[in-house]
Every structure is written in structure tokens, then in C-alpha cells.
Amino acid sequence: MSEHSKLFGWGVGGLLDRAQIVTRVSLSEKQAHGMVLVVPAKVSVAKIKKMLPKGVPAWQLADIGKKAGKLIQLSSTNGPVVLLRLGKVEPSSADFGFHSPSDYQLARDLGGQMIGLLNSPIKVAWTICFEDILEESIKGFLVGLEIGQYKYLTARQNSSFNNLGIKLLGVSKACLAAARLLGVSVNVARHLVNTPANELNPMTFAKSVKSLFPKNKAIKIEVWNEQRLKKEKMGLILGVGKAASVAPRLLHIRYRPQGATGNPIAFVGKGITFDSGGLDLKPAAAMRLMKKDMGGAASIAGLAYWAIYSKLKVKLDFYFALAENSVGPEAYRPGDVLSARNGLSVEIHNTDAEGRLALADAMDVAVSQKGSHSPSLLIDVATLTGAARVGLGTSVGALFSTTTDSATSVAKAGQRYGDHVWPMPLYQGYGKTIRSSFADTNHCSSSRFGGAITAALFLKKFVGDTPWVHLDVMGWTEAQGPFRESGGNGQVVQCLAGFLEGLSE
């Protein structure tokens, strides 16, 4: 396992590190050998039978004509066999094409399912054979394997999937490397979200993310402590974190690869390492998963990992707004007025709407950069509102934007990578609900309706003229698709990696 794929010294990847590309299937009579055969659905049953190893019982061969997209378990003289007839996805105009399943997504989800079969208690040497399969599908399948092998406790124990080694037939080195990096990048985000808040606070978050990038000349890393935040007049993030035992931090990673031109794209992640709700205390059930309230920052960390280790030829800045929303004598109150870095005075309506406050100050840092560091585009990611989840569910992120071209590109990248987002309106008519009689603006609406929109309208006050995309995500999943256990899901890491790939092509 690569040293730079560790957080807190624990491994978050490894399965594809040990994968070996081969040019033929070698069966040893001394060792049980498993085969996974992945073929297009259009391949005839007669041809499939010729590809299978010897000794598959006749009664099992009747199963191989079943419809595409099913894992069919067989057996042979040497060991288990799994057949997958992979159908090709036909483009759909439904949902403007933003949500039709892609070849990558279907293969990825099947790859995640495959892990349960590969992790048999029986010692088996596995070879996965891809026959006439699109490279996009091969990449998806391999990413699914890497995502599927991750388990939080296994990662903490620094063990990796029973030391399972696999051989790959029909896979290029470039495809394997790309899949491995993308899968681990998603797992980086997942692992940060899964880490309990008594271990992950603003200080340890910054330290752990810094540790991912040792001795890299293309990056510069800064951490602003409480004193620097005060000097920068960042009253919003300081207010949010005032009652916590560990003060807020702003982590900034500047990536300037050799040969990249133009101005950078800036990413900002909401990193509330635990959200009690503050004095507007959450009920117990709503507080249970609030270690995940740094899911936006976690996804930005995963994206930074992907971009930097893929040596992407695009200038990038990554900002992490890190704070804990706690309760104590110093806690900020409903009705307080805080001063933002950009000079706006902000009345506090509800202390449980803290994420937009921390984000706002960090976004102002990003857009106020000068000269060649001034961003051409700002994208923020945040586990921001329950309203977005009510409207779109947990698997689809809400997308708000001031730039149609970038918003469309992000949505299409989400469709391609099965990491979906949906465009939402920045309806200015709702702006009146965040007016204040005591400050320049209120930070959230008193209305029960349109909460995701009013949150976005508040953030819009901090982007100036910079083109902007705002992603309001869940960051958490129950066991589904390639995710084999409940926890962080690295939402929009794949989507934004696809978006950046499109820019560099």
C-alpha cells in the first residue's frame, strides 16, 4: 500500500495496489483458482462457453444465458467462476440526460458487489478477465472493487482485505492506475467522515490532510490558526467555533503544477467536525450522525488527493473551513450580530445554521486572492441543509450556480460517473426572507420553505463577481451500490474529478 494513501497512519486503499496485469490465464493444479469473466451482453452463449475454464457442470451452463447485469456464480475443476454479462447503456433524454445510468456507474456498482465473492474464506487466486469491454466500464468496475474493499475498522487495523491479490486480463496499465487513484480518493473522503469527532477536530483534520502530501514541490500548504483568523477579521467562523475546546482553522492547499496556465479554480469545503446545533441544540436523533458535518471538506480532501497525485495540469486551490459547533459559556447566540471577513454584518437567526457562516468567510478568502491567484471559478461543497435532502433524497446533490456552462459541465460529469447532482434555482424572490433589521443580512430564513435556496442566496453574498457553483450534499450513505457498509460516501469526488478531467482534455 502506498504511504501517501494513509490517514492517521491507517491505510484507506490497497486492493488495486496489489493487482497484477497478465496476458493470459495461468491455472495451477496445486492452487484453487477463481475466475471472473466479464463479457458484453451481446456475446453469444456458445462463445461464452468456450471462454470458461474446464469442468463447469452442464447443469450450471443453463444459467449463462440470463439477462445482463447479473453476477452468475459457477464452479469449475480448479475453483469458483463468476460470469458477468455487461450490458451497454443506451443514452436517455429523461432528466435532461443528467441522471441516466452510465456504463461506468453500472460497472462500478457491480464491481463493488463483486468484493463479497472475492473475499471468500477459501484461499483462492483470482483472475478477472475483461473480454471486449469498454475501457470506461473496466475503469468503473475497478473503482468499484477499490471502493468496495474499504471498511473503516479494517483501515484502522492497517490490514487490507485478507491480503487478497488479483490478476487482471484485458486491462491497460493506464486504466488500472486511474481506477486505483480515483477509488482511493473516494476512500480518503470516506475515512475522514467515518473518523469519530473525539479524534477528528479542526487541528487534527488539518494535520491529517497535510500528511497526505509529503514533499510535493507543486503544492504549498498553509494553516491559519485562531490568531490568524482574528487578524483576517473572520468573525463568522470564529463565532461558530468559539465554544469548542479546539479553535477553528482554515487549511489552504495551493496546487501549481508545472506547465499549467491561466487562473486557478478554487474549491471550498465545509468542515464542521461536529455539529451539536449550538445553543439551538439538535435533538438526540438528529445529532447522532453529526460527525459527518465535515463531509464537504472531506470530499474536497479526496478531490485534492486525486488531482495532485494524477498530476493534473490545472491550477487549483483547496480551502477547508474547519470548526466545531459546540455548547458552552462562549457559544454564539440567536440574535447576535457577527462581522464577516468581507465587511458584512450578519444577524444570527439559528445557531444550527452554522455551516454557511464558516463557509462564507473561507469563500471570501478564496475570491479575494489577487493577480494570477484570483480564481476563475469557485466551487464549494457542503453538507448544508436538510431541505436539500427532503427535496432530492440522499443520493443526489443540489447544485446552485451563477454560471450555466460550469453548472452543466458539473452535472454531466456527475451523470458520467454515477455521482449525481441536480440544478436548483437561485430564486432571488426568496432573498427578502434573509433581510435583517439589525444587520446587513440575516444568515438564514425564518420560513420553513425553500431552505436550500435561501442558504445558497446567503452564500452568494460572499462570491462577488467570481463565477460560482455550490453543491449541497449528504456525504453519508447506508450500504448500497459499491458501498458495503454505512458511513461516509465521498459524495461528488467522482463528479468533480470528472469535471476537472474535462477541463484538462
Side-chain angles (χ1 to χ4, degrees), residues 67-120:
K67 65 180 181 180
K70 299 290 185 181
L71 298 173
I72 302 172
Q73 298 184 55
L74 309 169
S75 61
S76 72
T77 303
N78 288 82
V81 178
V82 179
L83 171 65
L84 173 58
R85 299 176 67 231
L86 201 58
K88 187 178 187 314
V89 174
E90 296 299 328
S92 170
S93 60
D95 291 341
F96 308 101
F98 288 157
H99 290 155
S100 58
S102 65
D103 294 309
Y104 170 96
Q105 177 185 348
L106 292 182
R108 179 200 62 198
D109 292 354
L110 288 166
Q113 294 177 32
M114 189 74 238
I115 283 293
L117 297 175
L118 297 183
N119 195 28
S120 168

Side-chain angles (χ1 to χ4, degrees), residues 1-14 16-17 146 158 176-189 191-192 207-216 219 221 253 301-311:
M1 181 181 300
S2 301
E3 284 300 312
H4 59 67
S5 65
K6 292 186 176 183
L7 279 164
F8 305 100
W10 309 323
V12 294
L16 296 184
D17 276 343
E146 190 65 61
N158 244 336
L176 174 59
R180 184 263 169 201
L181 180 57
L182 185 55
V184 171
S185 299
V186 173
N187 290 343
V188 164
H191 196 71
L192 284 166
K207 285 183 176 180
S208 64
V209 173
K210 282 180 66 178
S211 72
L212 291 171
F213 308 106
K215 300 176 182 178
N216 191 316
I219 66 173
I221 301 179
I253 301 174
L303 181 67
Y305 185 92
W306 174 85
I308 291 169
Y309 283 108
S310 65
K311 299 180 179 179

Side-chain angles (χ1 to χ4, degrees), residues 17 42 58 65 80 133 135 216 299:
D17 276 343
K42 64 183 180 182
I133 297 295
E135 185 154 297
N216 191 316
S299 290

Side-chain angles (χ1 to χ4, degrees), residues 21 32 79 95 119 165 210-211 294-295 304-305 330 334 441 444 481 483 491:
I21 294 175
D95 291 341
N119 195 28
K210 282 180 66 178
S211 72
M294 34 61 67
Y305 185 92
E330 296 297 313
T441 183
C444 64
F483 305 103
Q491 193 170 3

Side-chain angles (χ1 to χ4, degrees), residues 342 344 356 359-360 363-364 367 378 380 384 400-403 425-428 431 434 441 452-470:
N342 72 349
L344 284 178
R356 68 199 67 182
L359 268 179
M363 288 163 61
D364 183 66
V367 301
L378 172 67
D380 79 83
L384 204 64
F400 298 85
S401 184
T402 60
T403 165
L426 277 169
Y427 179 58
Q428 299 298 318
I434 56 172
T441 183
I453 298 174
T454 53
L457 289 173
F458 173 77
L459 291 176
K460 186 175 180 290
K461 296 176 182 292
F462 298 86
V463 302
D465 296 327
T466 304
W468 170 57
V469 172
H470 163 55

Side-chain angles (χ1 to χ4, degrees), residues 270-348:
K270 172 190 168 184
I272 303 300
T273 55
F274 189 79
D275 180 19
S276 68
L279 292 180
D280 287 307
L281 195 69
K282 292 178 182 289
M287 202 187 301
R288 177 64 181 86
L289 298 180
M290 281 300 103
K291 69 176 184 177
K292 81 170 186 66
D293 211 22
M294 34 61 67
S299 290
I300 295 302
L303 181 67
Y305 185 92
W306 174 85
I308 291 169
Y309 283 108
S310 65
K311 299 180 179 179
L312 189 74
K313 295 295 184 184
V314 178
K315 295 179 183 179
L316 302 170
D317 284 289
F318 304 95
Y319 298 88
F320 304 80
L322 306 173
E324 179 178 346
N325 188 23
S326 193
V327 180
E330 296 297 313
Y332 74 126
R333 297 163 287 254
D336 282 359
V337 175
L338 304 180
S339 296
R341 186 178 186 269
N342 72 349
L344 284 178
S345 59
V346 180
E347 182 186 3
I348 302 306

Side-chain angles (χ1 to χ4, degrees), residues 20-181:
Q20 177 187 357
I21 294 175
V22 296
T23 56
R24 63 187 181 87
V25 180
S26 299
L27 301 178
S28 169
E29 295 181 1
K30 297 181 180 180
Q31 183 180 25
H33 188 94
M35 175 187 285
V36 179
L37 179 60
V38 186
V39 299
K42 64 183 180 182
V43 174
S44 68
V45 171
K47 188 173 181 179
I48 291 173
K49 289 180 179 179
K50 293 179 180 179
M51 298 178 190
L52 294 172
K54 295 179 180 180
V56 177
W59 62 271
Q60 287 188 339
L61 292 176
D63 286 338
I64 67 176
K66 290 182 177 178
K67 65 180 181 180
K70 299 290 185 181
L71 298 173
I72 302 172
Q73 298 184 55
L74 309 169
S75 61
S76 72
T77 303
N78 288 82
V81 178
V82 179
L83 171 65
L84 173 58
R85 299 176 67 231
L86 201 58
K88 187 178 187 314
V89 174
E90 296 299 328
S92 170
S93 60
D95 291 341
F96 308 101
F98 288 157
H99 290 155
S100 58
S102 65
D103 294 309
Y104 170 96
Q105 177 185 348
L106 292 182
R108 179 200 62 198
D109 292 354
L110 288 166
Q113 294 177 32
M114 189 74 238
I115 283 293
L117 297 175
L118 297 183
N119 195 28
S120 168
I122 303 171
K123 296 292 183 180
V124 176
W126 285 95
T127 299
I128 303 177
C129 307
F130 296 94
E131 182 68 30
D132 196 25
I133 297 295
L134 295 171
E135 185 154 297
E136 188 84 346
S137 295
I138 296 174
K139 180 181 177 181
F141 192 90
L142 296 178
V143 169
L145 290 178
E146 190 65 61
I147 291 175
Q149 66 85 36
Y150 168 85
K151 283 182 171 290
Y152 178 72
L153 289 178
T154 302
R156 287 199 65 143
Q157 294 159 3
N158 244 336
S159 58
S160 47
F161 212 65
N162 294 347
N163 295 315
L164 176 69
I166 58 175
K167 295 179 180 180
L168 302 171
L169 179 64
V171 178
S172 69
K173 289 182 179 180
C175 183
L176 174 59
R180 184 263 169 201
L181 180 57

